[in-house]
Amino acid sequence: MPNGVAKRDLPTKTCPACERPFTWRKKWARDWDSVVYCSDACRKKRL
């Protein structure tokens, strides 16, 4: 059996810039609550 969580069970959010859903990433583990945009491109487009 593999360890960890299945990708389908990870938390998701919707990006306000592109309206697409994006899932939790390990690099966002510490600040998932403050992540708003799915990418740097969406962050720049929104500003």
Side-chain angles (χ1 to χ4, degrees), residues 2 7 11-12 18 21 23 28 35 41-42:
K7 287 188 179 184
T12 61
C18 65
T23 58
W28 292 334
V35 173
C42 283

Side-chain angles (χ1 to χ4, degrees), residues 7-32:
K7 287 188 179 184
R8 68 177 180 270
D9 296 333
L10 292 173
T12 61
K13 291 184 179 183
T14 302
C15 178
C18 65
E19 300 294 326
R20 293 180 187 164
F22 62 98
T23 58
W24 181 92
R25 294 184 193 174
K26 189 172 182 174
K27 71 178 192 177
W28 292 334
R30 287 184 287 142
D31 57 347
W32 174 246

